[in-house]
Structures are given as structure tokens and as C-alpha cells.
Amino acid sequence: MDRDEKACPVCGETIKAVALKCRFCNTDLAAFTATKELETEKDLFSGHPAMIYSVSQFVPFLVVIALAIVVGYLVDARDVKDGALYTVLGCLVVCGIILLRLYLKSLSTHYEITTQRIKVEWNLLSKVQESLELFRIDHFELRKPLGMRLLGQARLHLFTSDAELEKFQIYAVPNLEAIAETLRECQLRERTRRGLTTFVKA
């Protein structure tokens, strides 16, 4: 085969390298390549949700600090030896425990979002994995509660035709709004690719 020739990806016959259509099987090569690219699954996001994603998560810290101030005042009033030091250490320990809990919650959820499906893995030791095909999604709902919006976060609710995953959600993922738009486009593309014109029931 010469340098200015190539094999047709459909019928395998030798055609010109610059050909836009195969003269043997009459395949539109540009359209064929575009279709193959759409069929290829591509990653959109893979990772854990943010550890701090809502202003409301700061409330426990504020409560601990307020209690520490009250306890410190009482200890100081009673002139307890090293009372202030123990109060500060206790406050730091409790805040550390709260942070650890938030970190483990984030670590126990792992999202893998692609152009064809969404996979979610739960828990740290005993893993549970759920997978949602995009063509089964019926409705997208992006929610931005004030607490999350102040931190630039959002929650995406997916209403699906899958009986076991009727209400599926993704939260605290970077650029979630842009990902939601991409998922809408991919959902329509997947339905078209599979020849689906109505909602699919599991």
C-alpha cells in the first residue's frame, strides 16, 4: 500500500488517503469516524466529593468553640490550675474528631463519571458499587442551597427509570454545573445511539 493510500475502516478496501468517502462501500468516512468517537467512553470526572461543601458544616465547630469559651470562663472564675490549657486542648481534640469524620465521609464516596455511565462506590472497608447508565436518566435537577452556593458547590439529583436507582445524586464535585450540562448532552446522544425515543423502564 502506497503512502497516499489507506484501508477503508468499514470494508477494508484500499482507497486514497485523502478520500472523504469510500468508493467501494460508499461510507462517509468523516461521519463514520465521528460516530466511532461518540461510541468511545471518555472520563469526565473521577474522585471524591469535597470534604467541606456547605456552610452548615461549620456549625459544629462554632458550637465547640462557644462551649470552650464558656468552660474557659468558668474555669478561670474558679481559678482551676491549667484549666485554660486543658480547655484549649479539649477544643482542639473535638474539632480534630469532627474534621476526621468529615474526611472519612468524603473518602468513603468515590465517583467515576464518564460519557456513558456514572459509577459510585460507597464505604471504606466493605465496598458497595452502583452504576447508572446515562440513557436511563429521565430528568436532571441541579440544586444550589444557600450553604452550598456560598462555597461554590451544588448537588445534582438524577431521576431515572432504573427501579433500584430512582433518585440518584452527585454532590460536592468540582465544576458540577458544567458536568451536568455535559451529562445532558451525553444522555441524549446515548439515547440516539441506542435508537431510543421514549423513556426506558428497567
Side-chain angles (χ1 to χ4, degrees):
M1 186 180 297
D2 296 332
R3 289 184 178 181
D4 62 342
E5 294 180 330
K6 64 180 180 181
C8 172
V10 178
C11 66
E13 294 290 346
T14 302
I15 57 177
K16 293 292 184 181
V18 295
L20 299 177
K21 183 179 287 188
C22 177
R23 62 191 179 91
F24 295 98
C25 63
N26 207 34
T27 299
D28 187 325
L29 300 179
F32 177 80
T33 302
T35 302
K36 294 300 289 184
E37 287 182 357
L38 293 179
E39 292 177 355
T40 304
E41 188 172 15
K42 298 177 181 177
D43 291 334
L44 298 177
F45 174 80
S46 181
H48 304 280
M51 185 174 74
I52 303 291
Y53 56 87
S54 176
V55 172
S56 62
Q57 290 178 290
F58 290 105
V59 172
F61 295 100
L62 296 176
V63 171
V64 170
I65 293 172
L67 289 175
I69 292 173
V70 172
V71 172
Y73 176 78
L74 294 175
V75 166
D76 185 59
R78 296 185 180 185
D79 197 23
V80 178
K81 184 179 180 181
D82 296 329
L85 176 62
Y86 290 131
T87 301
V88 172
L89 289 176
C91 178
L92 291 175
V93 169
V94 174
C95 287
I97 292 173
I98 296 173
L99 277 174
L100 179 62
R101 180 179 176 275
L102 293 174
Y103 173 71
L104 292 177
K105 180 184 177 182
S106 171
L107 200 64
S108 65
T109 304
H110 184 270
Y111 293 113
E112 187 176 332
I113 305 173
T114 73
T115 54
Q116 294 183 6
R117 62 181 59 84
I118 301 170
K119 295 179 182 178
V120 184
E121 193 172 73
W122 309 97
N123 302 328
L124 290 173
L125 301 178
S126 300
K127 300 288 187 179
V128 176
Q129 189 179 85
E130 294 180 340
S131 181
L132 173 64
E133 299 288 339
L134 294 188
F135 74 91
R136 291 192 179 278
I137 299 175
D138 297 334
H139 176 62
F140 294 83
E141 187 174 277
L142 187 69
R143 299 179 183 176
K144 295 181 179 180
L146 180 60
M148 297 185 76
R149 190 155 54 88
L150 290 173
L151 297 182
Q153 300 290 354
R155 188 185 300 270
L156 179 63
H157 288 254
L158 306 174
F159 299 88
T160 80
S161 58
D162 192 319
E164 296 182 358
L165 299 172
E166 290 183 357
K167 293 183 180 180
F168 199 85
Q169 67 174 354
I170 303 170
Y171 72 96
V173 166
N175 302 315
L176 185 55
E177 190 168 0
I179 290 176
E181 288 299 321
T182 303
L183 287 176
R184 284 188 181 95
E185 294 173 3
C186 292
Q187 177 236 26
L188 294 174
R189 190 184 303 142
E190 280 297 291
R191 285 179 178 271
T192 302
R193 185 171 70 86
R194 294 168 182 265
L196 303 174
T197 56
T198 56
F199 295 130
V200 178
K201 294 296 181 183

